[in-house]
Amino acid sequence: MDIRRRELLLGAAALSLGARSEIARAAGPASKTYGLIEISASGITVSVYNLSREMLAGNRAGSGFERLFSVLASPLRPGAEDSAAQETVDLVTGLVQRLRQEQGLAPTDIFVIASSGVASFSAPLIKIIGEKLRQRTGQTLDVITARDEARLTFDWVVAQRKRGEVALFDIGSGNLKGGVYDGGGRRAPFRDLSAPYGTKTAAGAVKLRWPEVKTADFGSRATEFYTDTIAPLMTPQIDATPSVSRRQEIYLSGGIVWATAMILQPRRMATKPVWLEMARDDFARVAKLVADGTPYGVGLASEMSEAERAWVTKTMKTVRNTFNPHQMAAGAALGDGLVRQLDPDGSRRFVFPTFANNAWSSQYLIERFELGKMRLAE
């Protein structure tokens, strides 16, 4: 988390919590180090956060977040057998032990959370994991709902002064979620919208419906799936949330948004922008690249510096390791379908907050630190 991201954290966390934060800061510890194990549709990640009242108050420009290691090949996936639950418990138990031994963390300062995306397709296994993990380690598995993920992401990304001006949608690997606040006040209610399909789960659903589909046709099938399955889930929610249609600026986050930005604007991404404006047809352009057999783009611009080229090459390797071509096509169809539902006349501005990759889990820990618990959306 560099100084720019820390400043954004200040706007998204400290200001949004308002007076209750000041009370909590006065009563809570001056600083705290937390370990976080996150089980998501993308895999299992382990992080350490160093939080302090001074940092959150904006008086110190220090790093508050460190990703230790990632286990991308999670045993949990759609259709996984019961044995995947035991594999996950064994894996997480080992990670808890590493945080205790290598980081010196107390059990009460380690949190294990499961995303709504992974819970949407592994609910029975998640329940088993929670029970066995408590027996093995004493740790509680906190399963975060899509509504809370949407609210946590919004509060991390959006500064208080813009709270009543923007909508935010996150296209995750396991689901799609987002929302708006009905106004900019501290007590304004949060309105969430969601669908149980994300980049990877949508790709799995497309493959299940059309087992013989080829990569060149995967995008068109994914678009068909969005039209007949996801759009009918989103339409009534959008219609029932008038404040969404009043927002002229929409923030988009999630892995497929990051991948799209890397593929279409690699040189711009190499400059590490905090905010990146996106065009309405960006996802459609990625879908065409997949259909044309070049899912990760067609090469790097010659005017890139050596340092930029090295960074982009390394990051694009991560993109390839994160999403296969079928998942790229499904994510592009999901992004394009959502954008066109939210912006039927092409009048809105779409922005990618590039710092949002750990948004909801970071905000979760901020609230644990300041309030002693995750704040419930009003």
Side-chain angles (χ1 to χ4, degrees):
M1 179 174 12
D2 61 17
I3 179 64
R4 292 172 300 176
R5 181 165 169 183
R6 185 188 61 79
E7 290 169 346
L8 291 163
L9 175 144
L10 173 64
L15 293 179
S16 67
L17 291 170
R20 285 181 294 180
S21 286
E22 297 304 322
I23 295 172
R25 286 188 193 133
S31 63
K32 200 77 172 175
T33 298
Y34 293 109
L36 183 70
I37 301 171
E38 179 185 343
I39 305 171
S40 74
S42 296
I44 300 174
T45 56
V46 183
S47 309
V48 166
Y49 286 74
N50 301 301
L51 302 178
S52 72
R53 280 184 265 158
E54 184 182 15
M55 183 185 72
L56 293 178
N59 299 323
R60 182 170 64 84
S63 174
F65 166 80
E66 180 185 1
R67 169 63 47 79
L68 293 183
F69 37 87
S70 299
V71 183
L72 294 178
S74 170
L76 295 177
R77 58 184 62 87
E81 298 181 354
D82 289 355
S83 59
Q86 187 59 55
E87 290 179 50
T88 302
V89 170
D90 292 342
L91 193 57
V92 173
T93 297
L95 298 175
V96 168
Q97 291 173 347
R98 288 186 65 177
L99 285 172
R100 292 180 183 180
Q101 295 168 3
E102 297 176 15
Q103 302 296 320
L105 295 177
T108 53
D109 294 333
I110 298 172
F111 295 96
V112 185
I113 57 178
S115 72
S116 60
V118 74
S120 69
F121 61 77
S122 298
L125 298 184
I126 288 293
K127 183 177 180 180
I128 294 172
I129 291 168
E131 294 171 352
K132 290 191 174 185
L133 188 64
R134 189 180 298 108
Q135 294 169 2
R136 287 273 297 275
T137 68
Q139 300 288 153
T140 298
L141 176 62
D142 200 353
V143 183
I144 313 301
T145 66
R147 171 174 169 76
D148 282 324
E149 277 187 34
R151 197 275 304 168
L152 289 165
T153 301
F154 195 109
D155 285 357
W156 168 269
V157 170
V158 183
Q160 174 72 43
R161 61 184 173 77
K162 296 206 67 167
R163 193 187 226 190
E165 301 174 10
V166 304
L168 184 147
F169 286 87
D170 180 79
I171 306 172
S173 290
N175 60 13
L176 164 66
K177 64 271 184 189
V180 293
Y181 275 98
D182 273 346
R186 198 158 37 88
R187 297 189 179 277
F190 182 75
R191 310 296 186 190
D192 67 300
L193 304 86
S194 65
Y197 294 100
T199 297
K200 294 187 176 181
T201 49
V206 170
K207 190 69 174 176
L208 185 64
R209 186 188 293 186
W210 295 284
E212 305 302 321
V213 65
K214 304 299 183 185
T215 300
D217 301 318
F218 206 93
S220 60
R221 289 302 192 188
T223 297
E224 185 178 344
F225 183 80
Y226 187 95
T227 301
D228 67 28
T229 301
I230 301 176
L233 297 174
M234 294 301 295
T235 297
Q237 296 180 73
I238 294 171
D239 292 343
T241 315
S243 48
V244 170
S245 62
R246 293 196 293 267
R247 302 295 186 262
Q248 289 303 303
E249 190 169 31
I250 299 174
Y251 295 168
L252 298 175
S253 64
I256 192 61
V257 183
W258 159 73
T260 296
M262 283 301 307
I263 291 166
L264 299 183
Q265 301 188 59
R267 190 179 185 191
R268 180 78 177 96
M269 286 291 287
T271 67
K272 312 295 177 59
V274 176
W275 308 96
L276 183 73
E277 189 153 357
M278 302 187 71
R280 186 170 180 265
D281 65 346
D282 277 353
F283 295 110
R285 290 174 61 195
V286 169
K288 186 176 187 307
L289 287 171
V290 177
D292 290 344
T294 54
Y296 307 105
V298 292
L300 303 180
S302 58
E303 62 268 22
M304 275 190 188
S305 69
E306 185 176 341
E308 289 173 338
R309 185 176 293 274
W311 182 85
V312 170
T313 299
K314 180 180 178 181
T315 307
M316 283 305 304
K317 182 178 180 180
T318 305
V319 171
R320 289 183 172 88
N321 290 338
T322 303
F323 299 122
N324 63 39
H326 287 182
Q327 292 164 347
M328 287 295 303
L334 193 57
D336 188 60
L338 175 66
V339 163
R340 295 184 188 283
Q341 277 196 281
L342 295 173
D343 186 29
D345 61 0
S347 64
R348 299 192 183 183
R349 179 173 180 249
F350 291 92
V351 178
F352 169 38
T354 63
F355 55 91
N357 56 319
N358 306 300
W360 71 264
S361 53
S362 298
Q363 182 69 15
Y364 170 90
L365 280 185
I366 295 275
E367 293 178 12
R368 283 281 189 175
F369 173 67
E370 294 198 323
L371 302 175
K373 61 182 180 180
M374 184 178 69
R375 183 172 68 85
L376 297 178
E378 297 180 11

